């Protein structure tokens, strides 16, 4: 049986770092919104219990790939190698690596959701979130599947419902490592936790920021240049700890009009922000 599942991008509409735990995890306050723009994962069940990523990602060993790690950790969680099917997984990669769009975390979450369904495990979403948290702080929000304000280390959710506008996303030609940014001594770690009301709007969001932006732009001039250019057309912001920057527009046509002004060497895409993750179309 072959099954195709979406693995969407996300945006951090803002990102404040409010503290750090003894184990190195950071406390944060952020707003997540999904994009109707996704990687695709195809799952083909096999009967020998083997988990196989058919098309590996260049430069990423399979044992480090979050897709394989998610499948393995789910298999270990139920401790039933003898009767759980294996799986061949094929990835159609559209989301840039190191871009802050959550591609790896989204892949892991989609793998957990898909195999929970295809292996007929009937694990609750709350339990899947706890499993996903072992793979990364962003994985639970992709399992949660709804736009939200996230706090704690990214696992405490409050509904947000931001406007589902259109975004132009620029993809600078650099790969930003999350660990590098969170370990930088210049990163602000004492932002005040704010009381933020839903639904979110850009008038309010425009007063907020991404605390990682100053560190990333110091290390990666390509990101600084992209932010500077996009700021000519609205509130431009970096998403997560990655290289991608975005700006909102009321319509697809307005976003594409600005996109057409970009130099040919700058990669970009236009997508709509959505408050329900596209992965849940696969569950219908």
């Amino acid at each position: 049986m072959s099954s195709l599942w979406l693995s969407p991008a996300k945006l951090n509409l803002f990102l404040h770092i409010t503290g750090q735990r003894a184990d190195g995890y950071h406390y944060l306050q952020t707003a997540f919104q999904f994009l109707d723009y996704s990687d695709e994962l195809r799952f083909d069940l096999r009967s020998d219990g083997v988990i196989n990523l058919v098309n590996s990602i260049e430069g990423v060993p399979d044992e480090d790939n979050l897709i394989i790690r998610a499948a393995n950790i789910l298999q270990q969680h139920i401790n039933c190698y003898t009767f759980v099917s294996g799986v061949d997984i094929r990835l159609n990669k559209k989301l840039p690596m190191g871009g802050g769009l959550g591609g790896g975390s989204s892949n892991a979450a989609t793998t957990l959701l898909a195999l929970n369904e295809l292996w007929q495990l009937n694990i609750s979403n709350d339990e899947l979130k706890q499993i996903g948290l072992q793979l990364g702080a962003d994985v639970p929000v992709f399992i949660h599947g709804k736009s939200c304000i996230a706090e704690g280390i990214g696992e405490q959710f409050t509904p947000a419902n931001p406007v589902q506008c259109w975004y132009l996303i620029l993809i600078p030609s650099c790969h930003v490592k999350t660990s590098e940014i969170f370990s930088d001594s210049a990163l602000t770690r004492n932002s005040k936790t704010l009381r933020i009301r839903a639904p979110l709007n850009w008038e309010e969001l425009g007063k907020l920021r991404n605390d990682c932006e100053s560190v990333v732009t110091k290390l990666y001039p390509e990101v600084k240049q992209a932010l500077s250019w996009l700021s000519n057309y609205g509130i431009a912001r970096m998403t997560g700890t990655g290289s991608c920057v975005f700006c909102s527009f009321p319509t697809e046509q307005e976003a594409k009009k600005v996109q057409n002004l970009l130099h040919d060497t700058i990669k970009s895409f236009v997508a709509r922000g959505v408050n329900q993750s596209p992965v849940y179309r696969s569950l219908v």
Side-chain angles (χ1 to χ4, degrees), residues 69-150:
R69 289 179 60 198
N72 282 333
I73 203 170
L74 188 61
Q75 215 176 45
Q76 293 162 12
H77 179 76
I78 57 175
N79 196 24
C80 293
Y81 291 97
T82 55
F83 71 85
V84 173
S85 296
V87 66
D88 287 322
I89 307 172
R90 291 171 175 81
L91 170 64
N92 178 15
K93 191 70 179 167
K94 297 181 181 178
L95 307 182
M97 295 176 62
L101 297 173
S105 296
S106 181
N107 291 167
T110 292
T111 299
L112 292 175
L113 288 165
L115 293 181
N116 186 45
E117 178 86 2
L118 298 172
W119 286 347
Q120 300 180 22
L121 303 178
N122 298 314
I123 298 173
S124 71
N125 269 19
D126 284 342
E127 190 173 354
L128 284 179
K129 289 175 192 176
Q130 290 303 311
I131 296 170
L133 192 59
Q134 300 174 55
L135 298 164
D138 280 354
V139 177
V141 77
F142 285 102
I143 295 171
H144 182 68
K146 296 178 181 178
S147 292
C148 60
I149 297 166

Coordinates of all heavy atoms in Angstrom, one line a residue, residues 69-150:
R69 N 14.9 8.7 12.0 CA 14.8 8.7 13.5 C 13.4 8.7 14.1 O 13.1 8.0 15.1 CB 15.6 10.0 14.0 CG 17.1 10.0 13.8 CD 17.7 11.2 14.3 NE 17.5 11.4 15.7 CZ 17.6 12.6 16.3 NH1 18.0 13.7 15.7 NH2 17.4 12.7 17.6
A70 N 12.5 9.4 13.4 CA 11.1 9.4 13.8 C 10.5 8.0 13.7 O 9.8 7.5 14.6 CB 10.3 10.4 13.0
A71 N 10.7 7.3 12.5 CA 10.2 6.0 12.3 C 10.8 5.0 13.4 O 10.1 4.2 13.9 CB 10.5 5.5 10.9
N72 N 12.1 5.1 13.6 CA 12.8 4.2 14.6 C 12.2 4.4 16.0 O 12.0 3.5 16.7 CB 14.3 4.4 14.5 CG 14.9 3.8 13.4 OD1 14.5 2.8 12.8 ND2 16.1 4.3 12.9
I73 N 12.1 5.7 16.4 CA 11.7 6.0 17.7 C 10.2 5.6 18.0 O 9.9 5.1 19.1 CB 11.9 7.5 18.1 CG1 12.0 7.7 19.6 CG2 10.7 8.4 17.5 CD1 12.4 9.1 20.0
L74 N 9.4 5.6 16.9 CA 8.0 5.1 17.0 C 8.0 3.6 17.2 O 7.3 3.1 18.0 CB 7.2 5.6 15.8 CG 5.7 5.3 15.9 CD1 5.1 6.1 17.0 CD2 5.0 5.7 14.6
Q75 N 8.9 3.0 16.4 CA 8.9 1.5 16.5 C 9.4 1.1 17.9 O 8.9 0.1 18.5 CB 9.9 1.0 15.4 CG 9.5 -0.3 14.8 CD 10.5 -0.7 13.7 OE1 11.7 -0.6 13.8 NE2 9.9 -1.2 12.6
Q76 N 10.4 1.8 18.4 CA 11.0 1.5 19.7 C 9.9 1.8 20.8 O 9.9 1.1 21.8 CB 12.2 2.3 20.0 CG 13.4 1.9 19.1 CD 14.5 2.9 19.0 OE1 14.5 3.9 19.8 NE2 15.4 2.8 18.1
H77 N 9.2 2.8 20.6 CA 8.2 3.2 21.6 C 7.1 2.1 21.8 O 6.7 1.9 23.0 CB 7.5 4.5 21.1 CG 6.4 5.0 22.1 ND1 6.7 5.7 23.3 CD2 5.0 4.9 22.0 CE1 5.6 6.0 23.9 NE2 4.6 5.5 23.2
I78 N 6.7 1.5 20.8 CA 5.7 0.4 20.9 C 6.4 -1.0 21.2 O 5.7 -1.9 21.6 CB 4.8 0.3 19.7 CG1 5.6 0.1 18.4 CG2 3.9 1.6 19.6 CD1 4.7 -0.1 17.2
N79 N 7.7 -1.0 21.0 CA 8.5 -2.2 21.3 C 7.9 -3.5 20.7 O 7.7 -4.5 21.4 CB 8.6 -2.4 22.8 CG 9.7 -3.3 23.2 OD1 10.6 -3.6 22.5 ND2 9.6 -3.9 24.4
C80 N 7.6 -3.4 19.4 CA 6.9 -4.5 18.8 C 7.4 -4.8 17.4 O 6.7 -4.7 16.4 CB 5.4 -4.3 18.7 SG 4.5 -4.2 20.3
Y81 N 8.7 -5.0 17.3 CA 9.3 -5.2 16.0 C 8.8 -6.4 15.3 O 8.8 -6.5 14.1 CB 10.9 -5.4 16.1 CG 11.6 -4.2 16.6 CD1 11.9 -4.0 17.9 CD2 12.0 -3.3 15.6 CE1 12.6 -2.9 18.3 CE2 12.7 -2.1 16.0 CZ 13.0 -2.0 17.4 OH 13.7 -0.8 17.8
T82 N 8.3 -7.4 16.0 CA 7.9 -8.7 15.4 C 6.7 -8.6 14.5 O 6.6 -9.3 13.6 CB 7.7 -9.7 16.5 OG1 6.7 -9.2 17.4 CG2 8.9 -10.0 17.3
F83 N 5.8 -7.7 14.9 CA 4.6 -7.7 14.0 C 4.3 -6.3 13.4 O 3.4 -6.2 12.5 CB 3.3 -8.1 14.8 CG 2.9 -7.1 15.9 CD1 2.0 -6.0 15.5 CD2 3.3 -7.2 17.2 CE1 1.6 -5.1 16.5 CE2 2.9 -6.2 18.1 CZ 2.0 -5.2 17.8
V84 N 5.1 -5.3 13.7 CA 4.9 -4.0 13.0 C 5.5 -4.0 11.7 O 6.7 -4.5 11.5 CB 5.4 -2.9 13.9 CG1 5.4 -1.5 13.1 CG2 4.7 -2.7 15.2
S85 N 4.8 -3.6 10.7 CA 5.4 -3.5 9.3 C 6.6 -2.6 9.3 O 6.7 -1.6 10.1 CB 4.3 -3.1 8.3 OG 3.3 -4.0 8.2
G86 N 7.5 -2.8 8.3 CA 8.5 -1.8 8.0 C 7.9 -0.9 7.0 O 6.7 -0.8 6.7
V87 N 8.8 0.0 6.4 CA 8.3 0.9 5.5 C 9.4 1.4 4.6 O 10.6 1.6 5.0 CB 7.6 2.1 6.2 CG1 8.7 2.9 7.0 CG2 6.9 3.1 5.3
D88 N 9.1 1.6 3.3 CA 10.0 2.4 2.4 C 9.4 3.8 2.3 O 8.2 4.0 2.1 CB 9.9 1.8 1.0 CG 10.7 0.5 0.9 OD1 11.8 0.4 1.5 OD2 10.3 -0.4 0.1
I89 N 10.3 4.8 2.5 CA 9.9 6.2 2.5 C 10.6 7.0 1.4 O 11.8 6.9 1.3 CB 10.2 6.9 3.9 CG1 9.6 6.1 5.0 CG2 9.6 8.3 3.9 CD1 10.0 6.5 6.4
R90 N 9.8 7.7 0.6 CA 10.4 8.5 -0.5 C 10.1 10.0 -0.2 O 8.9 10.3 0.1 CB 9.8 8.1 -1.9 CG 10.3 6.8 -2.3 CD 9.6 6.3 -3.6 NE 10.1 5.1 -4.1 CZ 9.8 3.9 -3.7 NH1 8.9 3.8 -2.7 NH2 10.3 2.8 -4.2
L91 N 11.1 10.8 -0.3 CA 11.0 12.2 0.1 C 11.1 13.1 -1.2 O 12.1 13.0 -1.9 CB 12.0 12.6 1.1 CG 12.2 14.1 1.4 CD1 10.9 14.7 2.0 CD2 13.4 14.4 2.2
N92 N 10.1 13.9 -1.5 CA 10.2 14.9 -2.5 C 10.5 16.2 -1.8 O 9.5 16.8 -1.2 CB 8.9 15.0 -3.3 CG 8.9 16.1 -4.4 OD1 10.0 16.6 -4.7 ND2 7.8 16.4 -4.9
K93 N 11.7 16.7 -1.8 CA 12.2 17.8 -1.0 C 12.0 19.1 -1.7 O 12.5 19.4 -2.7 CB 13.6 17.6 -0.6 CG 14.1 18.6 0.5 CD 13.5 18.3 1.8 CE 14.0 19.2 2.9 NZ 13.2 19.1 4.1
K94 N 11.1 20.0 -1.1 CA 10.9 21.4 -1.7 C 11.4 22.4 -0.7 O 11.8 23.5 -1.1 CB 9.4 21.6 -2.0 CG 8.9 20.7 -3.0 CD 7.4 21.0 -3.2 CE 6.8 20.1 -4.3 NZ 5.3 20.4 -4.5
L95 N 11.4 22.2 0.6 CA 11.7 23.2 1.6 C 13.3 23.2 1.8 O 13.9 22.2 1.9 CB 11.1 22.8 2.9 CG 9.6 22.6 2.9 CD1 9.1 22.3 4.4 CD2 8.9 23.8 2.3
P96 N 13.8 24.4 1.8 CA 15.3 24.5 1.9 C 15.8 24.1 3.3 O 15.1 24.3 4.3 CB 15.6 26.0 1.7 CG 14.3 26.7 2.1 CD 13.2 25.7 1.7
M97 N 16.9 23.4 3.3 CA 17.5 23.0 4.6 C 18.2 24.3 5.2 O 18.8 25.1 4.5 CB 18.5 21.9 4.4 CG 17.9 20.6 3.9 SD 19.1 19.4 3.5 CE 19.9 19.1 5.1
G98 N 18.0 24.4 6.6 CA 18.6 25.5 7.3 C 18.0 26.8 7.0 O 18.5 27.9 7.3
G99 N 16.7 26.7 6.5 CA 16.0 28.0 6.2 C 15.1 28.5 7.3 O 14.5 29.6 7.1
G100 N 14.9 27.7 8.3 CA 14.0 28.2 9.4 C 12.6 27.9 9.1 O 11.7 28.4 9.9
L101 N 12.3 27.1 8.1 CA 10.9 26.8 7.7 C 10.4 25.5 8.4 O 9.3 25.1 8.2 CB 10.7 26.7 6.2 CG 11.0 28.0 5.5 CD1 11.0 27.7 3.9 CD2 10.0 29.1 5.8
G102 N 11.3 24.9 9.2 CA 10.9 23.7 9.9 C 10.9 22.4 9.1 O 10.2 21.4 9.5
G103 N 11.6 22.3 8.0 CA 11.5 21.2 7.1 C 11.8 19.9 7.7 O 11.0 18.9 7.6
G104 N 12.9 19.8 8.5 CA 13.2 18.5 9.1 C 12.2 18.1 10.2 O 11.8 17.0 10.3
S105 N 11.8 19.1 11.0 CA 10.8 18.9 12.1 C 9.5 18.5 11.5 O 8.8 17.6 12.0 CB 10.7 20.1 12.9 OG 11.9 20.4 13.6
S106 N 9.1 19.1 10.4 CA 7.9 18.8 9.7 C 7.9 17.4 9.1 O 7.0 16.6 9.2 CB 7.6 19.8 8.6 OG 6.4 19.5 7.9
N107 N 9.1 17.0 8.5 CA 9.2 15.6 8.0 C 9.1 14.6 9.1 O 8.4 13.6 9.0 CB 10.6 15.5 7.4 CG 10.8 16.2 6.1 OD1 11.9 16.4 5.6 ND2 9.8 16.8 5.5
A108 N 9.7 14.9 10.3 CA 9.6 14.0 11.4 C 8.1 13.8 11.9 O 7.6 12.7 12.2 CB 10.5 14.5 12.6
A109 N 7.4 15.0 12.0 CA 6.0 15.0 12.5 C 5.1 14.2 11.5 O 4.3 13.4 11.9 CB 5.5 16.4 12.7
T110 N 5.3 14.5 10.2 CA 4.5 13.8 9.2 C 4.8 12.3 9.3 O 3.9 11.5 9.1 CB 4.8 14.3 7.8 OG1 4.3 15.7 7.7 CG2 4.1 13.5 6.7
T111 N 6.0 11.9 9.5 CA 6.4 10.5 9.6 C 5.7 9.8 10.8 O 5.1 8.7 10.6 CB 7.9 10.3 9.7 OG1 8.5 10.8 8.5 CG2 8.3 8.8 9.9
L112 N 5.7 10.5 11.9 CA 5.0 10.0 13.1 C 3.5 9.9 12.8 O 2.8 8.8 13.2 CB 5.2 10.9 14.3 CG 6.6 10.9 14.8 CD1 6.8 11.9 16.0 CD2 7.1 9.5 15.4
L113 N 2.9 10.9 12.3 CA 1.4 10.9 12.0 C 1.1 9.8 11.0 O 0.1 9.1 11.1 CB 1.0 12.2 11.5 CG 0.9 13.4 12.5 CD1 0.8 14.7 11.8 CD2 -0.3 13.2 13.5
A114 N 1.9 9.7 9.9 CA 1.6 8.7 8.8 C 1.7 7.3 9.3 O 0.8 6.5 9.1 CB 2.5 9.0 7.7
L115 N 2.8 7.0 10.0 CA 3.0 5.6 10.5 C 2.1 5.2 11.6 O 1.7 4.1 11.7 CB 4.5 5.4 10.9 CG 5.5 5.5 9.8 CD1 6.9 5.3 10.3 CD2 5.2 4.6 8.6
N116 N 1.7 6.2 12.4 CA 0.6 5.9 13.4 C -0.7 5.5 12.7 O -1.3 4.5 13.2 CB 0.4 7.2 14.3 CG -0.6 6.9 15.4 OD1 -0.5 5.9 16.1 ND2 -1.5 7.8 15.5
E117 N -0.9 6.1 11.6 CA -2.1 5.7 10.8 C -1.9 4.4 10.1 O -2.8 3.5 10.1 CB -2.5 6.9 9.8 CG -3.7 6.6 8.9 CD -5.0 7.0 9.6 OE1 -5.0 7.5 10.7 OE2 -6.0 6.8 8.9
L118 N -0.8 4.3 9.3 CA -0.6 3.2 8.4 C -0.3 1.9 9.2 O -0.7 0.8 8.7 CB 0.5 3.5 7.5 CG 0.3 4.7 6.5 CD1 1.5 5.0 5.7 CD2 -0.9 4.4 5.6
W119 N 0.4 2.0 10.3 CA 0.6 0.9 11.2 C -0.5 0.6 12.1 O -0.4 -0.4 12.9 CB 1.9 1.1 12.0 CG 3.2 0.9 11.2 CD1 3.3 0.5 9.9 CD2 4.5 1.3 11.6 NE1 4.6 0.5 9.5 CE2 5.4 1.0 10.5 CE3 5.0 1.9 12.8 CZ2 6.8 1.3 10.6 CZ3 6.4 2.2 12.8 CH2 7.3 1.9 11.8
Q120 N -1.5 1.4 12.1 CA -2.8 1.2 12.9 C -2.4 1.1 14.4 O -2.9 0.2 15.1 CB -3.5 0.0 12.4 CG -4.0 0.1 11.0 CD -4.7 -1.1 10.5 OE1 -5.3 -1.9 11.3 NE2 -4.8 -1.3 9.2
L121 N -1.6 2.1 14.9 CA -1.2 2.1 16.3 C -2.1 2.8 17.2 O -2.1 2.5 18.4 CB 0.2 2.8 16.4 CG 1.3 2.2 15.5 CD1 2.6 2.9 15.6 CD2 1.5 0.7 15.8
N122 N -2.9 3.7 16.7 CA -3.9 4.4 17.5 C -3.3 5.2 18.7 O -3.9 5.2 19.8 CB -5.0 3.4 18.0 CG -5.8 2.8 16.9 OD1 -6.2 3.5 15.9 ND2 -5.9 1.5 17.0
I123 N -2.1 5.7 18.5 CA -1.5 6.5 19.5 C -2.1 7.9 19.5 O -2.3 8.5 18.4 CB 0.0 6.6 19.3 CG1 0.6 5.2 19.5 CG2 0.7 7.6 20.3 CD1 2.1 5.2 19.1
S124 N -2.5 8.5 20.6 CA -3.1 9.8 20.6 C -2.1 10.9 20.2 O -0.9 10.7 20.3 CB -3.6 10.2 22.0 OG -2.5 10.4 22.9
N125 N -2.7 12.0 19.7 CA -1.8 13.1 19.3 C -1.0 13.7 20.4 O 0.2 14.1 20.3 CB -2.6 14.3 18.7 CG -2.8 14.1 17.2 OD1 -2.6 13.0 16.6 ND2 -3.1 15.2 16.5
D126 N -1.5 13.7 21.6 CA -0.8 14.2 22.8 C 0.4 13.3 23.0 O 1.5 13.8 23.4 CB -1.7 14.2 24.0 CG -2.6 15.4 24.0 OD1 -2.4 16.3 23.2 OD2 -3.6 15.3 24.8
E127 N 0.3 12.0 22.9 CA 1.4 11.1 23.1 C 2.4 11.2 22.0 O 3.6 11.2 22.2 CB 0.9 9.6 23.2 CG 2.0 8.6 23.6 CD 1.5 7.2 23.9 OE1 0.2 7.0 23.8 OE2 2.3 6.3 24.1
L128 N 1.9 11.4 20.7 CA 2.8 11.6 19.6 C 3.6 12.9 19.8 O 4.8 13.0 19.4 CB 2.0 11.7 18.3 CG 1.5 10.4 17.7 CD1 0.7 10.7 16.4 CD2 2.6 9.4 17.4
K129 N 3.0 13.9 20.4 CA 3.8 15.2 20.6 C 4.9 14.9 21.6 O 6.0 15.5 21.4 CB 2.9 16.2 21.2 CG 1.8 16.8 20.3 CD 0.9 17.8 21.0 CE -0.3 18.2 20.1 NZ -1.2 19.0 20.9
Q130 N 4.7 14.1 22.6 CA 5.8 13.8 23.6 C 6.9 13.0 22.9 O 8.1 13.2 23.2 CB 5.2 13.0 24.8 CG 4.3 13.8 25.7 CD 5.0 15.1 26.2 OE1 6.1 15.0 26.7 NE2 4.4 16.2 26.1
I131 N 6.5 12.1 22.0 CA 7.5 11.3 21.3 C 8.3 12.3 20.4 O 9.5 12.3 20.3 CB 6.8 10.2 20.4 CG1 6.2 9.2 21.3 CG2 7.8 9.5 19.5 CD1 5.3 8.2 20.6
G132 N 7.5 13.2 19.7 CA 8.2 14.1 18.8 C 9.1 15.1 19.5 O 10.1 15.5 18.9
L133 N 8.8 15.4 20.7 CA 9.7 16.4 21.5 C 11.1 15.8 21.6 O 12.0 16.6 21.8 CB 9.0 16.7 22.8 CG 9.6 17.9 23.6 CD1 9.5 19.2 22.8 CD2 8.9 18.0 24.9
Q134 N 11.2 14.5 21.6 CA 12.5 13.9 21.7 C 13.4 14.1 20.5 O 14.6 14.0 20.5 CB 12.4 12.4 22.0 CG 11.6 12.0 23.2 CD 11.4 10.5 23.3 OE1 12.3 9.7 23.2 NE2 10.1 10.1 23.4
L135 N 12.7 14.5 19.4 CA 13.4 14.7 18.1 C 13.7 16.2 17.9 O 14.6 16.5 17.1 CB 12.5 14.2 17.0 CG 12.3 12.7 17.0 CD1 11.1 12.3 16.1 CD2 13.5 11.9 16.6
G136 N 13.0 17.1 18.6 CA 13.3 18.5 18.4 C 12.1 19.3 18.9 O 10.9 18.9 18.9
A137 N 12.4 20.6 19.3 CA 11.4 21.4 20.0 C 10.3 21.8 19.0 O 9.2 22.1 19.5 CB 12.0 22.6 20.5
D138 N 10.5 21.8 17.7 CA 9.5 22.2 16.7 C 8.6 21.1 16.3 O 7.5 21.3 15.7 CB 10.1 22.8 15.5 CG 10.5 24.3 15.7 OD1 10.2 24.9 16.8 OD2 11.2 24.9 14.8
V139 N 8.9 19.8 16.6 CA 8.2 18.7 16.1 C 6.7 18.7 16.6 O 5.8 18.5 15.9 CB 8.9 17.4 16.4 CG1 8.0 16.2 15.9 CG2 10.2 17.3 15.7
P140 N 6.5 19.0 17.9 CA 5.1 18.9 18.5 C 4.2 19.9 17.8 O 3.0 19.5 17.6 CB 5.3 19.3 19.9 CG 6.7 18.8 20.3 CD 7.5 19.1 19.0
V141 N 4.6 21.1 17.3 CA 3.7 22.0 16.7 C 3.2 21.5 15.4 O 2.0 21.7 15.0 CB 4.3 23.4 16.6 CG1 5.3 23.5 15.4 CG2 3.2 24.4 16.4
F142 N 4.0 20.7 14.7 CA 3.6 20.1 13.4 C 2.6 19.0 13.6 O 1.7 18.8 12.8 CB 4.8 19.6 12.6 CG 5.6 20.7 12.0 CD1 6.8 21.2 12.5 CD2 5.1 21.4 10.8 CE1 7.5 22.2 11.9 CE2 5.8 22.4 10.2 CZ 7.1 22.8 10.8
I143 N 2.7 18.3 14.8 CA 1.7 17.3 15.1 C 0.4 18.0 15.6 O -0.7 17.5 15.3 CB 2.3 16.4 16.2 CG1 3.5 15.6 15.6 CG2 1.2 15.4 16.7 CD1 4.3 14.8 16.7
H144 N 0.6 19.0 16.4 CA -0.6 19.8 16.8 C -1.4 20.3 15.7 O -2.6 20.2 15.7 CB 0.0 21.0 17.7 CG -1.1 21.9 18.2 ND1 -2.0 21.4 19.3 CD2 -1.5 23.2 18.0 CE1 -2.8 22.4 19.6 NE2 -2.5 23.5 18.8
G145 N -0.7 20.8 14.6 CA -1.4 21.1 13.4 C -2.3 22.3 13.3 O -3.0 22.5 12.3
K146 N -2.2 23.2 14.3 CA -3.0 24.4 14.3 C -2.1 25.6 14.6 O -1.2 25.5 15.5 CB -4.1 24.4 15.3 CG -5.2 23.3 14.9 CD -6.3 23.2 15.9 CE -7.3 22.1 15.6 NZ -8.4 22.0 16.6
S147 N -2.3 26.7 14.0 CA -1.5 27.9 14.3 C -1.7 28.3 15.8 O -2.8 28.1 16.3 CB -2.0 29.1 13.4 OG -1.6 28.9 12.1
C148 N -0.6 28.7 16.4 CA -0.7 28.9 17.8 C 0.5 29.8 18.3 O 1.4 30.0 17.6 CB -0.6 27.5 18.5 SG 1.0 26.7 18.2
I149 N 0.3 30.3 19.5 CA 1.4 30.9 20.3 C 2.0 29.7 21.1 O 1.3 29.0 21.8 CB 0.9 32.0 21.2 CG1 0.3 33.1 20.4 CG2 2.0 32.5 22.1 CD1 -0.5 34.1 21.1
A150 N 3.3 29.5 21.0 CA 4.0 28.5 21.7 C 4.9 29.1 22.7 O 5.6 30.1 22.5 CB 4.8 27.6 20.7

